[in-house]
Amino acid sequence: MDADDYDRDSTFGGDRASLASSSTSLRSEVTRYEFEHGRRYHGYQAGKYYFPNDEKELNRIDIEHHNQRLQMNGALHLCPLEDPMEIIDIGTGSGVWCIEMAEAYPGAQVLGIDLSPVQPSWVPPNCHFEVDDFELDWTYGDDRFDMMNHRFLIGSISNHSHFYKQAYNALKPGGWIELVEMEALLYCDDDTVPVGSALREWGELIHEVFGKMGRPFLPVEKYKEHLEDAGFENVTFKIVKRPTCDWPKDRRIKEIGRFCALNLLEGLEGFTMAPFTRVLGWRPEEVTVFLAKVRKDILRRRIHGYMKSCVCYGQKPLHPQQQPAHH
């Protein structure tokens, strides 16, 4: 399998930008995108989110959405939902999860928020998108949502305790929060990762750079603690191994590995260029040379590596207690 195709930059069409949600009145700064090293980034709260928002990145989000459905045996969520009225997706990206949830629950209003207005406007009537920064104080009101979803907010949350406290307040009593998050570190159970592996180094550097920025990648086990500390009950936590490519024998896990590799190959430059050049001081050419080595590692079937991700969900109690203050 040849990785060359993944090195080509996608051409910049404004397809999704021009389809930006008409349901939101957007100030000009929202669509005044920033460009850097041939990739497009958000204009609203510019510089806050380190990953691109261009067509190439939105396609990658859709690939990963398919991968999540594979991992969840076709489901859009694992928490139990009964006749939800209001659902919110924090950091919705391409909006694909919201659109499919709106189709699955036609009686619910589904709201997706993101720093970038890159979602399509041709969506179900019960699906809406707004430009918002979830790091600012939330203005959704208390006790409003039946479900809150977030996926891959790694590198975006500066204060997890505060984030989950706000999430708790915004949910109705009995409402659910569900999250899918991951680490970028490379794990292996049979010592097949060679010494000096570029893929292992990449994961360690990604964790280092976001730690330096005060937006750390958490060990996935921490999410369960955060939900419990915020007051959620019935917290269910499941670790999901993400193979680096299609090396596993099991057919279903092999297929998931294929999509994990595709997601990483498609996203690698976008995940890496801004953090490494802005924070670590690398030159763009150095990043490009390094990523060529990382791509080779991703595609090596004899490296039995995986990254850890998790699905975690919890319920706001039906009769919430006054929350204790957390230090």
Side-chain angles (χ1 to χ4, degrees):
M1 186 158 53
D2 195 341
D4 278 359
D5 285 351
Y6 299 116
D7 288 334
R8 292 182 198 147
D9 279 341
S10 62
T11 50
F12 277 89
D15 307 8
R16 295 207 198 216
S18 59
L19 286 176
S21 171
S22 54
S23 66
T24 317
S25 61
L26 300 170
R27 293 168 302 180
S28 61
E29 69 172 290
V30 167
T31 46
R32 194 165 55 221
Y33 297 120
E34 307 265 309
F35 290 84
E36 188 179 319
H37 306 309
R39 299 302 299 266
R40 191 185 75 194
Y41 296 84
H42 64 98
Y44 174 59
Q45 299 281 63
K48 201 160 200 182
Y49 182 65
Y50 271 55
F51 303 137
N53 70 359
D54 50 34
E55 200 70 21
K56 185 179 172 83
E57 173 64 2
L58 294 168
N59 290 337
R60 183 202 65 76
I61 289 169
D62 289 349
I63 289 166
E64 183 52 42
H65 175 74
H66 178 74
N67 194 12
Q68 285 304 311
R69 293 203 75 162
L70 272 178
Q71 291 174 36
M72 294 186 181
N73 292 312
L76 285 162
H77 59 88
L78 297 183
C79 66
L81 281 188
E82 285 178 43
D83 301 324
M85 301 299 292
E86 289 208 71
I87 296 167
I88 186 168
D89 186 29
I90 308 284
T92 194
S94 71
V96 61
W97 186 85
C98 287
I99 292 165
E100 293 186 9
M101 281 295 281
E103 288 166 347
Y105 295 99
Q109 292 297 315
V110 184
L111 172 65
I113 66 153
D114 203 275
L115 284 173
S116 295
V118 289
Q119 303 77 30
S121 52
W122 191 258
V123 295
N126 57 326
C127 179
H128 308 277
F129 298 110
E130 288 178 11
V131 172
D132 204 354
D133 179 1
F134 61 74
E135 287 268 280
L136 303 178
D137 284 338
W138 290 16
T139 55
Y140 311 120
D142 291 350
D143 304 333
R144 174 174 168 187
F145 297 104
D146 298 278
M147 183 194 173
M148 180 176 298
N149 179 70
H150 76 74
R151 294 182 174 181
F152 307 114
L153 295 187
I154 35 180
S156 301
I157 300 176
S158 55
N159 184 336
H160 288 82
S161 298
H162 182 62
F163 177 90
Y164 290 113
K165 184 60 65 193
Q166 296 208 95
Y168 180 95
N169 291 338
L171 284 162
K172 286 177 189 165
W176 291 89
I177 184 169
E178 178 165 315
L179 62 94
V180 176
E181 293 296 345
M182 68 178 287
E183 300 174 24
L185 300 174
L186 184 63
Y187 290 89
C188 176
D189 299 332
D190 64 0
D191 295 326
T192 51
V193 178
V195 175
S197 156
L199 181 54
R200 174 166 276 163
E201 187 187 352
W202 176 81
E204 289 166 355
L205 286 167
I206 284 282
H207 277 245
E208 177 192 328
V209 79
F210 282 96
K212 279 183 174 171
M213 290 178 348
R215 296 169 186 278
F217 277 40
L218 298 184
V220 289
E221 295 81 6
K222 282 270 180 212
Y223 289 100
K224 181 175 191 287
E225 289 175 33
H226 275 300
L227 293 195
E228 288 169 345
D229 286 349
F232 290 101
E233 298 181 335
N234 303 319
V235 177
T236 301
F237 173 84
K238 179 179 160 216
I239 281 195
V240 180
K241 292 183 178 181
R242 297 174 59 94
T244 45
C245 68
D246 58 356
W247 61 261
K249 255 196 181 123
D250 180 275
R251 276 182 62 186
R252 182 171 156 272
I253 303 171
K254 183 185 284 294
E255 182 74 352
I256 289 167
R258 256 187 215 119
F259 277 96
C260 289
L262 185 56
N263 172 62
L264 197 46
L265 289 165
E266 281 289 305
L268 198 56
E269 186 214 34
F271 298 153
T272 313
M273 189 60 82
F276 280 36
T277 54
R278 292 184 200 174
V279 181
L280 296 182
W282 288 34
R283 296 195 315 277
E285 314 79 67
E286 292 177 299
V287 177
T288 303
V289 169
F290 177 59
L291 293 186
K293 296 175 188 165
V294 176
R295 283 190 187 91
K296 281 190 180 135
D297 271 3
I298 292 168
L299 295 172
R300 282 195 176 118
R301 290 194 180 109
R302 64 176 176 273
I303 296 179
H304 300 158
Y306 62 90
M307 291 175 189
K308 269 191 201 175
S309 73
C310 72
V311 184
C312 188
Y313 55 91
Q315 186 175 30
K316 181 170 175 174
L318 274 168
H319 306 289
Q321 305 292 311
Q322 187 61 36
Q323 286 305 302
H326 283 284
H327 303 300

